[in-house]
Amino acid sequence: MDPTRLRVFRAVVQSGSINGAATRLGYTPSAISQHVSALQRETGLVLVERRGRGIQPTAAGIAVAERATRVLDQLTDLEHLADDLRAGRSGVLRIGAFMSANRVWMPRVVAGVVDDFPDLRIELSLAELRGDRPVELDLDVFIAEAVRGDRDPAVADGSADGYDVEHLRTEDYLAVLPAGHPLVGRERVELNELRDADWIDNDIARGPCREILITACRARGFAPRFRVQASDYPSSFDYVAAGVGVTVVPRLGAHLLPAGVTAVPIADAEVRRRIMLRVARSARTNPAVRRATELLRAAAVLPAAAPHALA
C-alpha cells in the first residue's frame, strides 16, 4: 500500500470529510477523493460510504485508519533513524584491530568518536588474523602479509571486496632484552646477533607479524630457539624481565614495557610490518566512520615511542 494514500485516508477519518482532509493536507478535494478511491482498490475494501452530501468511514475503514496510524508512526520513526544514521548520531560502529593497535591507538580513537557521537555504540573485534574477523566491519586495521621493499607500502592501496584500502604506517621491530644482556646499550642490533639467544615466542596466533620475523631469520640461515611460548607481547615481556630469554616485537607492540627490560631497534631493513586500514565503501559517508578514519590516520603518524630501558 502507498503510505501517502494511508496518510490521506487517515486525515479523512480524523477530519470527518473530504474537504476537511484537503484543507488539513493542502490538497484539492478531487485529489483526496482519488487517493481514497485508489486505496479502496488496493485493499479490496469499502472504506467509506455516502451519507447525504458527505461520507462516513465504514467499520473496515475505521479499522484501516487505526492500523494506518501505527504504520505511519513506525515509518516516521524509521525516517528519524535514517536521519540519525546519516548524521552518525546513533547505530553501531564496528571496528576490527590487532592487539597492539588496540592497546595503543584505539583508546584515543574511541574516545574521540564517542565525544562527537555520544549515542553511538562501538563494537571492537580483536584478532591477529584477518580471516578471524567478522566480514561486516566498517573499519579494519590489519597487518599486510609481507613487506617486500622500500616502495611497497603503496602497493596494497586501493580497493577490494567492497572496501577501500590504504596504508597507515610501516614500522620496524625491536629486540626486547633483559637487564645485563650484552646488547643492552647498543643503538641497533642485527638479527644475526640474536641467533644463539633463547627466544620468547609472543604470537600464539602465528600471524603475519611473526611470519615476517621468522622469514627474515630463515633468510639468514637460522631459526629462533624458542624457550617459552607466550600468548601475547605483554606476557613475553614478563618472561624477558625474569631473564628467561629475549623477544622481538614490532615497535607499536613495545608499549608500556615493564621494569628490567630494554628495547633496541632491529637494524635489518626487511624486518618491518606494514599497517593497513580497510574502510567499507558503504560506510564512507557516515560521519562517525569519517571521524574514526581521521583519528586513526592521526594516530598512525604520531612518533613511535622511543626504545628505552626501565630500571
Side-chain angles (χ1 to χ4, degrees):
M1 299 179 193
D2 186 333
T4 300
R5 290 173 185 155
L6 290 177
R7 192 170 285 109
V8 167
F9 181 67
R10 181 181 64 174
V12 169
V13 173
Q14 290 176 341
S15 63
S17 69
I18 295 290
N19 289 335
T23 300
R24 184 172 181 174
L25 298 177
Y27 288 14
T28 65
S30 175
I32 296 293
S33 295
Q34 291 174 15
H35 278 301
V36 172
S37 297
L39 183 61
Q40 291 188 122
R41 290 194 300 271
E42 286 179 348
T43 60
L45 298 170
V46 176
L47 302 176
V48 295
E49 56 188 8
R50 292 285 178 185
R51 282 293 176 89
R53 300 180 63 180
I55 62 168
Q56 181 173 324
T58 63
I62 293 172
V64 168
E66 290 175 350
R67 185 61 59 88
T69 296
R70 291 159 54 185
V71 170
L72 293 170
D73 287 346
Q74 290 177 338
L75 283 175
T76 299
D77 288 343
L78 180 58
E79 290 169 355
H80 290 162
L81 174 62
D83 289 341
D84 286 342
L85 291 172
R86 282 193 297 271
R89 289 190 295 266
S90 62
V92 178
L93 178 61
R94 297 176 175 86
I95 303 176
F98 53 92
M99 190 60 67
S100 53
N102 179 63
R103 293 185 71 212
V104 183
W105 290 349
M106 294 314 301
R108 284 178 290 173
V109 170
V110 170
V113 171
V114 298
D115 277 348
D116 292 344
F117 306 97
D119 296 329
L120 187 69
R121 173 182 168 84
I122 298 179
E123 294 182 356
L124 291 171
S125 298
L126 301 180
E128 298 302 311
L129 305 179
R130 286 177 60 191
D132 292 340
R133 295 196 181 96
V135 296
E136 68 275 8
L137 294 171
D138 300 306
L139 297 164
D140 185 19
V141 184
F142 68 96
I143 303 299
E145 296 304 320
V147 176
R148 296 179 293 276
D150 290 341
R151 298 182 180 179
D152 198 53
V155 172
D157 289 7
S159 61
D161 301 326
Y163 286 84
D164 294 327
V165 183
E166 63 182 87
H167 171 255
L168 283 179
R169 169 169 160 172
T170 296
E171 61 180 12
D172 60 354
Y173 280 56
L174 306 175
V176 181
L177 311 171
H181 193 280
L183 297 176
V184 169
R186 293 270 299 276
E187 288 188 7
R188 289 185 175 274
V189 300
E190 300 284 342
L191 204 54
N192 256 327
E193 296 179 89
L194 300 173
R195 67 163 55 230
D196 296 325
D198 291 330
W199 286 49
I200 311 299
D201 201 353
N202 54 43
D203 185 359
I204 198 170
R206 303 292 196 271
C209 299
R210 184 183 190 273
E211 184 59 30
I212 290 168
L213 179 61
I214 297 300
T215 299
C217 292
R218 191 180 300 123
R220 285 154 181 76
F222 77 96
R225 186 172 66 237
F226 290 117
R227 180 60 61 97
V228 175
Q229 169 68 67
S231 59
D232 52 32
Y233 297 156
S235 297
S236 71
F237 302 154
D238 294 336
Y239 287 102
V240 173
V244 177
V246 305
T247 196
V248 178
V249 299
R251 184 172 290 268
L252 196 64
H255 181 62
L256 299 179
L257 292 174
V261 305
T262 298
V264 182
I266 298 291
D268 307 72
E270 73 271 34
V271 187
R272 299 174 300 156
R273 70 176 181 178
R274 191 170 68 247
I275 302 175
M276 312 297 294
L277 173 65
R278 296 191 310 153
V279 182
R281 286 198 293 272
S282 61
R284 271 291 189 188
T285 59
N286 185 301
V289 171
R290 290 202 301 266
R291 179 60 176 149
T293 302
E294 292 170 358
L295 290 167
L296 279 167
R297 290 171 180 157
V301 300
L302 288 174
H308 58 287
L310 299 179

